[in-house]
Amino acid sequence: MKPLVPSTCETNSVVDAVSKGTRLDGRELLDHREATIQFGREYGTCQIRLGNTRALATVRAELGTPRPSRPNEGTLQVAVDVTSTAAPGADRSNDLTVGLERLLERCLRESRCVDQESLCVVADEKVWQLRLHVELLDLGGNACDAAALAALAALCHFRRPHVSVTGGEVRLCPADEAEPVPLAVLHKPVLVTFAFFGDGQHFVADPTEIEERASEGLLTVGMNSYREICTLHLTGKLLLNKQQVLECTELAAARARSLTSQLRRALTADEAERTAIHPFPGLARVELERMATAAASVRLSGAVRGPALTAEQISEMEKEVDEKLSVFRHKDMAAAAEIGQGGASQWGPPSDDEEGDQDEMWPRTAETPAKTAPAASDSDSEGEQTVLHPEDLEPHAEPGTGKGLRCPMPVR
Amino acid sequence: MISADMKSEEGDLDEDAINNFTCELGVLSQCDGSATLCNGLTAVLAATFGPVEVRQQRELVDRSSIEVTFRGPHGVEGVEDRRVEQLVRSTLEQCVFAALHPRTAVSVVLNVLETDDLLLLSTCVNAAVLALLDSSLSMKYLPAAVTCVPVGDRVLVNPLPSERQGSSGGSVTAVYDTGSERLVACRTAGQLSAEQLTSCLREARRAAAMVRQLYRRAVAAKFSKEPRDPWAGPSRAEDMPPSWRRLGGQQAGEQSTS
């Protein structure tokens, strides 16, 4: 598909509106759109929505050899892709993707946002190589900011496997044995873009795609919550003076602070949800799955068994299983078996043998169902399947707080 | 032996099985049609442009050329992606009214948000159909894809990973025409006996009717009169796919999950 050519009247109306202090979508000149942060099931997956703009970032890590010039540091590689349906005429690789890749590298790698020395496993031989991939799913303007926020959120969310080094041998510990380790994120730089009109006289924050096309130039400021400028990037046919740049950096500082606090809240909420889904970290994953299987198979396969079950039979079976498993009613029960895969206990301060500098801004929440953990491990050691009843449990795991094993009809 | 004139068996369809699906139409703003479909632990975002201008090599004089692009989860690239594209394309080529739009192209892009590998193929087909529904492209019939796994003497339909324990590793992904209940496409993986294959296909045909219900509900929801803030996602947090939740930000009128 060929890209749409913006019409002159569209461009003129945008410039006209901005000079009068209004915007086509009703925002004030310096208003930003609300950012929505969603994390995926796997660590290191994050989707950001900024109005109509969507960016999906994933982080993957693998062990490899370091660069000869930096034998003690891990590496961070950034790749940006645009889906061909993100905009008419969007191509997989063009100016936008190359420019964004370079901008993200400057903002995240060269500003030392991730402590790359902590990614070193064995100096000169083995380091962690991080690959950050950002996919732009929808281009509704200001893809820069969305991509940068998605990349940052994915890096903060990501956990790499624990590595044990014995003698010269490096061993990756599976998730059952040792909890995955978060990256050491030293500071959180965020990109904020401004579009200029009328020879630099007026500018708007967080431009939409029409405003970007109609603007004379874009100024992107990368800032963190400590009011440190990490990146400055100016594109287009525009000349700015010092006053304008300083004004923009002030606005960017406020936006960066609010975005980083939103990100912190989102990460804490995600962590709390993962813990809530798996309320008994000491319970073996297999036990949990077996219980989930028993309940789910009634719901999903009751009607496809050999002899057709009558409705009463099905509801009787369901009631039985429901009673035993009502404590696990949570709409994400089946996915729960995949998250929080047992392993070392999370309750309490991080142990000394964890690798790298732990990011102290993200202490683990320590609400502990301490009473039930011994009960769970007892049942484990006996090797028999124990069904837990609601009365045995802590108040925070009340039945009825979740949505049940079946998702309510949530079609839009 | 697969009987040529299998009729629908009597028996109640398990409506609960459809509750493992979550879908939303019209999620992207720049393309003609888009849909997110989550089935269990697999989530796929499908988007379509079409009918649009086509490159000369792909131009067909009597009908529209269907192009499918599959973007797997990052890091997983290769021949498997092309197989998924091929299945989806052959399904869509049969069901889309391509003859109405000669010398054009309909391009479908599938982005995988999450996957557990087994349900990926069927979710991709269903998501592509939903995206085409959203773009209002004329279709002859609606195909529905279902994955069946034989476990012991039962057949599980679209099973979650925790339910697949005990299976021998074989699975069948079947695409059925929901109108005439005829088989459109079928792909198997792993080892299956002939009886298992037959029973899987039979269960898949029944389950395809449930997927058709999903399509109807999705389109009805799209045209419902409830006002929607264009900047927001689904208006209720419960509409979000189970493993993708809305976190952060204060949307007006947003209800947080209990």
Side-chain angles (χ1 to χ4, degrees), chain A residues 1-2 25 27 33-42 45-47 49-54 56 58 60 79 81-89 92 131-133 135 137-141 208-209 262 265-267 269-270 273 277 286 289-290 292-293 296-306 308-309 311 318 330-332 334-338 400-403 405-412, chain B residues 10-14 16-25 27-33 36 41-42 45 47-50 52-53 69 71 73-75 77 107-109 111-116 153-165 203 206 214 217-219 221-222 224 226-228 230-251 257-258:
Chain A
M1 261 210 79
K2 294 221 180 74
D25 53 3
R27 282 186 282 161
R33 288 173 290 187
E34 196 74 48
T36 310
I37 307 176
Q38 290 164 304
F39 294 107
R41 198 162 39 92
E42 276 193 48
T45 323
C46 176
Q47 190 184 184
R49 272 196 292 212
L50 196 64
N52 276 336
T53 308
R54 272 190 190 223
L56 172 68
T58 46
R60 297 281 177 264
D81 259 332
V82 177
T83 328
S84 54
T85 44
R92 277 202 73 167
R131 280 179 306 142
L132 169 68
H133 181 250
E135 178 96 30
L137 299 170
D138 204 0
L139 292 176
T208 57
E209 76 276 14
Q262 183 183 345
R265 279 198 308 271
L267 284 163
D270 179 72
E273 270 186 15
I277 289 167
V286 170
E289 281 197 30
R290 218 183 300 168
T293 311
S297 63
V298 169
R299 285 199 181 280
L300 296 175
S301 317
V304 298
R305 258 176 233 257
L309 293 170
E318 284 180 0
H330 191 287
K331 66 180 171 183
D332 216 359
E338 306 296 307
T401 47
K403 284 272 187 291
L405 288 162
R406 40 183 290 181
C407 304
M409 193 58 247
V411 167
R412 283 244 70 202
Chain B
E10 301 296 324
D12 297 329
L13 290 169
D14 189 2
D16 290 351
I18 206 179
N19 283 336
N20 252 353
F21 284 102
T22 313
C23 79
E24 192 196 347
L25 296 188
V27 292
L28 301 183
S29 64
Q30 304 290 327
C31 53
D32 290 340
T36 316
L41 301 177
T42 307
L45 169 69
T48 170
F49 262 128
V52 289
E53 200 180 323
T69 313
R71 311 288 294 275
H74 175 56
E77 285 176 17
S107 103
V108 177
V109 175
N111 275 298
V112 178
L113 302 174
E114 284 181 7
T115 179
D116 69 351
D153 60 349
R154 292 187 292 136
V155 172
L156 297 180
V157 173
N158 287 341
L160 298 161
S162 47
E163 300 155 11
R164 298 204 287 265
Q165 314 222 351
E203 296 306 333
R206 292 178 62 203
L214 174 77
R217 292 185 195 180
V219 175
K222 175 187 168 185
S224 77
E226 285 171 25
R228 276 187 67 192
W231 296 122
S235 54
R236 294 182 308 155
E238 294 89 21
D239 290 350
M240 290 306 301
S243 49
W244 286 81
R245 284 190 206 91
R246 175 182 304 276
L247 295 168
Q250 289 101 27
Q251 297 278 354
T257 49
S258 53

Side-chain angles (χ1 to χ4, degrees), chain A residues 69-92:
Chain A
S69 54
R70 308 258 188 194
N72 290 334
E73 287 185 6
T75 59
L76 170 65
Q77 225 178 327
V78 179
V80 177
D81 259 332
V82 177
T83 328
S84 54
T85 44
D91 247 329
R92 277 202 73 167

Side-chain angles (χ1 to χ4, degrees), chain A residues 150-285:
Chain A
L152 178 68
L155 284 171
C156 292
H157 189 243
F158 179 65
R159 307 258 169 120
R160 59 172 174 81
H162 190 75
V163 185
S164 69
V165 184
T166 45
E169 196 195 297
V170 172
R171 193 175 76 90
L172 272 178
C173 304
D176 303 348
E177 250 181 63
E179 280 288 316
V181 174
L183 297 177
V185 178
L186 300 174
H187 65 105
K188 299 180 170 56
V190 154
L191 290 183
V192 186
T193 304
F194 302 91
F196 285 80
F197 301 87
D199 217 11
Q201 284 170 20
H202 313 281
F203 65 92
V204 299
D206 192 8
T208 57
E209 76 276 14
I210 282 186
E211 288 164 354
E212 268 183 2
R213 283 201 298 253
S215 68
E216 289 165 352
L218 298 172
L219 172 68
T220 304
V221 182
M223 286 202 76
N224 60 24
S225 52
Y226 304 118
R227 297 176 65 89
E228 293 167 336
I229 299 179
C230 309
T231 324
L232 269 184
H233 185 64
L234 182 62
T235 54
K237 41 184 191 295
L238 188 62
L239 300 173
L240 293 180
N241 61 32
K242 186 173 74 172
Q243 202 48 46
Q244 289 166 312
V245 176
L246 282 177
E247 214 179 315
C248 289
T249 53
E250 275 299 326
L251 296 163
R255 173 72 168 163
R257 189 174 312 125
S258 87
L259 276 182
T260 42
S261 63
Q262 183 183 345
L263 177 60
R264 187 181 315 132
R265 279 198 308 271
L267 284 163
T268 321
D270 179 72
E271 181 66 34
E273 270 186 15
R274 286 170 189 257
T275 323
I277 289 167
H278 190 187
F280 309 108
L283 193 63
R285 176 163 64 123

Side-chain angles (χ1 to χ4, degrees), chain B residues 26-88:
Chain B
V27 292
L28 301 183
S29 64
Q30 304 290 327
C31 53
D32 290 340
S34 56
T36 316
L37 177 65
C38 304
N39 184 359
L41 301 177
T42 307
V44 173
L45 169 69
T48 170
F49 262 128
V52 289
E53 200 180 323
V54 66
R55 278 182 297 180
Q56 195 127 48
Q57 308 103 297
R58 305 266 183 102
E59 191 179 355
L60 295 170
V61 295
D62 59 341
R63 59 184 193 276
S64 180
S65 118
I66 317 270
E67 298 165 0
V68 178
T69 313
F70 175 81
R71 311 288 294 275
H74 175 56
V76 180
E77 285 176 17
V79 175
E80 274 306 312
D81 297 2
R82 304 291 96 80
R83 290 189 77 216
V84 174
E85 286 176 10
Q86 190 245 331
L87 181 84
V88 177

